[in-house]
Amino acid sequence: MKNINTYLAKVLNVPIEKVNMCSLHYEVKKIPKNQFLLQYGEICRHIFFVEKGLLKMYSIDKNGKEHIIQFAPESWLISDRSSLYFNEKSIYYIEAVEDTEVLFLHPDFFNKLVEQFPNSIERSDFLLQKHIRSLQNRINSLLGETAEERYMKFIKMYPDLLLRVPQWMIASYLGITPESLSRVRKELARKNFVPDR
């Protein structure tokens, strides 16, 4: 469990010699491509940590159109927080985009972490605030930025996903049509923009 151990030690300040103790609070599962971890109407029971592979969280509108809220590649966390913490039926789906190795973290995972390793509380709180900031920035981006600006932010946030997901999924995340995304990419190519790989 290389990625979770690195995450616990470097991000949450868990002593490196103690990271294996945390395995008591999660379960490891291999999720095949296109399998769901959460579906509309279900109660979310876990926080998901991606050890290897890729997940996406999305909603489907009344016209059957998919709207991707978040991607979760390696070392990312993903969950429906409203469902998890308020015991509400989820309005989202969480699905494997690739064959994925997922750690199912129990809802009180971070509380247990703080009990065992008090030094992690500051980092845990920081990560929560960072997540909230990210959501606010994403809302602002969808409401007020151009398609090109949103695409550039996508590349910065998910630098390794351009070759891992189809164009229509990127367009869904950006809130534009695949045709609009194609135009954006052509315009950037015309400007000699080459994304970092």
Side-chain angles (χ1 to χ4, degrees), residues 90-179:
S90 182
I91 61 170
Y92 300 110
Y93 299 83
I94 297 179
E95 181 182 350
V97 180
E98 304 169 349
D99 290 342
T100 305
E101 190 170 347
V102 180
L103 276 60
F104 285 57
L105 309 183
H106 299 299
D108 62 351
F109 177 82
F110 292 100
N111 291 335
K112 295 285 187 184
L113 209 63
V114 169
E115 287 176 12
Q116 290 182 274
F117 312 105
N119 289 339
S120 70
I121 189 168
E122 186 176 326
R123 293 297 300 164
S124 183
D125 185 61
F126 173 78
L127 290 174
L128 177 60
Q129 300 308 323
K130 188 177 177 182
H131 176 69
I132 293 169
R133 182 185 68 178
S134 177
L135 291 177
Q136 289 175 331
N137 289 342
R138 176 141 162 70
I139 292 168
N140 186 59
S141 177
L142 288 169
L143 292 174
E145 294 180 345
T146 66
E148 183 175 310
E149 289 170 332
R150 279 178 262 165
Y151 181 62
M152 297 298 288
K153 282 190 173 179
F154 173 87
I155 291 170
K156 187 175 181 181
M157 180 171 285
Y158 300 112
D160 69 331
L161 292 196
L162 292 179
L163 299 178
R164 294 174 66 179
V165 299
Q167 183 165 303
W168 72 264
M169 283 191 191
I170 298 175
S172 172
Y173 176 87
L174 297 176
I176 60 177
T177 65
E179 293 76 20

Side-chain angles (χ1 to χ4, degrees), residues 80-93:
D80 179 354
R81 289 174 176 269
S82 292
S83 180
L84 183 70
Y85 290 104
F86 299 105
N87 204 40
E88 299 172 352
K89 291 182 178 180
S90 182
I91 61 170
Y92 300 110
Y93 299 83

